[in-house]
């Protein structure tokens, strides 16, 4: 498998203005906008699921300014995380209002939003034993899960820049099992669809979003079509990464294809809802992993969300103002932390191929993950 240099038929749309041809729907493995043309979601994660239940960074910069930073880095979308207490706990109505205001500010800046049901009890996520991992865990009551999701969906019905809802982040822990997954995910997907019919319904698998292999043999039964998307997460620190980087990349890419990458061949859109590295460049394994990730993501032309926007958290795991080395902004939230990183991912922010992109004559492109540059051969 050619990973470090991948070539594919490419249609360049880098210079088209960002417009939102909404609503979105699926067309085989692609997401398409109105008119049937492919829309590639290039999302930034913006978290709002900590104990404070507030979008990170609002103590540093106004939300509109942060939204403009996201746009200036070439993103067209935000994966916006929320904890269920935000919507089920009536004493928190003012926070829910701020949450809505952020979504609306993103909309004014032409940013699409995926509402990510991240966790039940607010706080840094995730561990196998945090009680938020799977249906039936201490803080993961299936009925509350549906109620919370339905309320959130209802709240955003009619808000056009909300394009997707992911039903649960990183399922995990000892209770994981296939039967409950189908039972509850089908119910949850129907609940979302009834409350907000225009959005993509995004399902995650097991083991911190690293395993959807069980889906190969058993499809979901849903009353609607054209909306179903799968989500997976891919970080270098989850892979065993010692050894020759090419071999390691081949091995982890094969794992990825077997556990969830195969979905694109089966005609389902696949969303890599989290990937990222220490953006200071200090982690050698992380840097190698990024080369691998970018090669695969270019080759498969996946859509994705970068972890993360935040460079500091109000509070994370008890630490106030914790520095997030995966964060894309500088410590004051007012400039890009690493412009060479943004340059490297920028080619992947535009679609390479897909329906409705036929205005430009197809041509081959060689993408170089280490620089993010493309060599165009006429
Ligand atoms: C509602 O939120 C408040 C403040 O975070 C918390 O003290 C309380 O326990 C929550 N109630 C429920 C029912 O979750
Ligand atoms: C940006 O990343 C590169 C490589 O990943 C690294 O060498 C460089 O020092 C980083 N720059 C900053 C400002 O962190
Ligand atoms: C780099 C990093 O800390 N990523 C975290 C992002 O959030 C998920 C949970 O949603 C964690 O599992 C990752 O470790």
């Amino acid at each position: 498998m050619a990973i470090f240099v991948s070539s594919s038929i490419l249609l360049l749309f880098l210079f088209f203005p960002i417009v939102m041809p909404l609503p979105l729907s699926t067309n085989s493995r692609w997401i398409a906008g109105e008119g049937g043309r492919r829309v590639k979601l290039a999302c930034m994660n913006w978290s709002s699921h900590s104990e404070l239940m507030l979008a990170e960074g609002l103590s540093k910069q106004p939300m509109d300014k942060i939204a403009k930073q996201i746009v200036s880095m070439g993103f067209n979308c935000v994966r916006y995380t929320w904890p269920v207490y935000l919507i089920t706990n009536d004493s928190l109505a003012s926070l829910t209002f701020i949450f809505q205001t952020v979504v609306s500010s993103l909309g004014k800046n032409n940013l699409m939003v995926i509402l990510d049901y991240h966790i039940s009890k607010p706080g840094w996520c995730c561990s196998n034993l945090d009680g938020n991992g799977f249906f039936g865990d201490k803080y993961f009551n299936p009925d509350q899960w549906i109620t919370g999701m339905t309320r959130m969906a209802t709240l955003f019905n009619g808000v056009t820049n909300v394009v997707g809802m992911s039903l649960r982040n990183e399922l995990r822990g000892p209770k994981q099992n296939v039967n409950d997954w189908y039972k509850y995910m089908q119910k949850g997907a129907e609940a979302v669809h009834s409350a907000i019919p225009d959005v993509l319904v995004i399902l995650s698998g097991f083991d911190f979003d690293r395993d959807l292999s069980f889906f190969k043999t058993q499809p979901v039964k849903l009353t609607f079509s054209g909306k179903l998307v799968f989500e997976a997460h891919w970080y270098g620190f989850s892979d065993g990464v010692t050894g020759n980087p090419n071999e390691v990349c081949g091995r982890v890419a094969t794992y990825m294809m077997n556990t969830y990458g195969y979905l694109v061949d089966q005609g389902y859109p696949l969303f890599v809802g989290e990937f990222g590295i220490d953006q200071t460049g200090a982690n050698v394994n992380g840097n190698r992993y990024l080369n691998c990730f970018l090669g695969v993501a270019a080759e498969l032309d996946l859509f994705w969300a970068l972890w993360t926007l935040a460079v500091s958290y109000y509070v994370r795991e008890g630490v106030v103002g914790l520095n997030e080395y995966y964060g894309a902004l500088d410590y004051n939230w007012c400039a890009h932390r690493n412009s060479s990183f943004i340059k490297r991912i920028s080619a992947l922010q535009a679609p390479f191929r897909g329906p409705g992109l036929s205005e430009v004559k197809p041509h081959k492109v060689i993408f170089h993950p280490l620089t993010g540059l493309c060599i165009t051969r006429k």
Side-chain angles (χ1 to χ4, degrees):
M1 191 164 180
I3 297 297
F4 283 94
V5 174
S6 55
S7 96
S8 50
I9 305 295
L10 177 74
L11 299 160
L12 275 179
F13 281 85
L14 292 171
F15 306 111
F16 279 65
I18 300 171
V19 281
M20 295 191 286
L22 305 174
L24 304 181
S25 57
T26 65
N27 172 358
S28 178
R29 60 152 295 194
W30 308 109
I31 305 292
E34 237 180 6
R37 177 174 166 146
R38 181 175 180 204
V39 171
K40 184 164 180 176
L41 296 163
C43 311
M44 176 67 98
N45 273 286
W46 192 357
S47 50
S48 185
H49 65 275
S50 77
E51 286 84 350
L52 273 73
M53 294 176 255
L54 194 60
E56 299 289 345
L58 295 183
S59 60
K60 303 270 188 173
Q61 297 294 339
M63 67 183 104
D64 181 65
K65 225 175 147 191
I66 296 177
K68 289 192 163 55
Q69 286 289 351
I70 299 172
V71 174
S72 76
M73 290 183 274
F75 295 87
N76 62 9
C77 154
V78 166
R79 177 177 182 258
Y80 193 29
T81 66
W82 57 281
V84 77
Y85 286 13
L86 181 66
I87 195 93
T88 53
N89 188 330
D90 293 336
S91 71
L92 302 173
S94 58
L95 286 176
T96 315
F97 178 73
I98 298 175
F99 189 87
Q100 288 173 279
T101 313
V102 170
V103 171
S104 139
S105 164
L106 294 171
K108 283 189 197 116
N109 285 283
N110 271 329
L111 288 161
M112 296 177 275
V113 173
I114 290 173
L115 298 174
D116 174 70
Y117 192 155
H118 207 72
I119 196 166
S120 299
K121 187 174 185 285
W124 179 250
C125 183
C126 309
S127 89
N128 274 317
L129 300 172
D130 62 10
N132 279 281
F134 201 74
F135 303 104
D137 276 354
K138 184 169 177 196
Y139 302 110
F140 198 161
N141 173 304
D143 295 330
Q144 187 202 44
W145 175 69
I146 300 251
T147 310
M149 204 155 51
T150 306
R151 280 198 202 172
M152 194 56 128
T154 307
L155 194 63
F156 285 98
N157 189 4
V159 178
T160 47
N161 68 311
V162 171
V163 298
M165 288 192 71
S166 50
L167 271 52
R168 188 72 177 197
N169 174 67
E170 298 196 351
L171 296 167
R172 60 194 176 275
K175 288 217 167 71
Q176 297 178 96
N177 73 86
V178 171
N179 286 347
D180 281 350
W181 190 91
Y182 282 93
K183 177 173 160 193
Y184 294 122
M185 284 300 173
Q186 284 170 180
K187 246 176 149 170
E190 295 291 351
V192 167
H193 182 68
S194 323
I196 183 167
D198 276 345
V199 303
L200 303 170
V201 174
I202 306 172
L203 306 185
S204 293
F206 293 160
D207 192 20
F208 296 84
D209 264 339
R210 299 177 69 235
D211 186 5
L212 277 155
S213 51
F214 61 89
F215 192 78
K216 264 179 209 164
T217 49
Q218 190 181 342
V220 277
K221 293 195 190 91
L222 298 171
T223 60
F224 61 92
S225 60
K227 297 283 165 188
L228 186 63
V229 173
F230 288 93
E231 175 170 346
H233 294 176
W234 185 358
Y235 287 110
F237 55 74
S238 326
D239 302 325
V241 283
T242 45
N244 174 306
N246 278 312
E247 282 165 15
V248 171
C249 182
R251 182 155 45 77
V252 299
T254 303
Y255 171 87
M256 175 269 182
M257 284 312 289
N258 286 334
T259 48
Y260 51 87
Y262 74 89
L263 284 159
V264 298
D265 296 330
Q266 289 200 351
Y268 294 103
L270 178 64
F271 172 52
V272 182
E274 292 185 15
F275 81 96
I277 57 162
D278 174 343
Q279 291 201 22
T280 66
N283 185 306
V284 174
N285 281 340
N287 297 341
R288 290 178 178 165
Y289 141 86
L290 187 68
N291 290 333
C292 184
F293 173 83
L294 294 179
V296 174
E299 180 113 17
L300 297 176
D301 202 359
L302 298 173
F303 66 110
W304 44 263
L306 175 70
W307 190 270
T308 186
L309 175 68
V311 286
S312 58
Y313 296 96
Y314 301 122
V315 183
R316 171 172 155 183
E317 297 161 293
V319 181
V320 174
L322 184 95
N323 195 338
E324 167 62 278
Y325 292 100
Y326 281 63
L329 295 177
D330 76 348
Y331 200 72
N332 296 318
W333 290 68
C334 66
H336 305 171
R337 172 179 241 153
N338 194 326
S339 52
S340 75
F341 177 87
I342 297 302
K343 207 171 102 193
R344 279 176 75 188
I345 63 169
S346 64
L348 299 188
Q349 289 172 327
F352 289 136
R353 54 203 163 97
L357 304 180
S358 55
E359 293 92 335
V360 176
K361 207 168 139 235
H363 54 282
K364 295 233 177 208
V365 159
I366 297 173
F367 172 68
H368 185 240
L370 194 58
T371 54
L373 298 175
C374 293
I375 304 164
T376 311
R377 197 177 61 183
K378 297 227 167 86

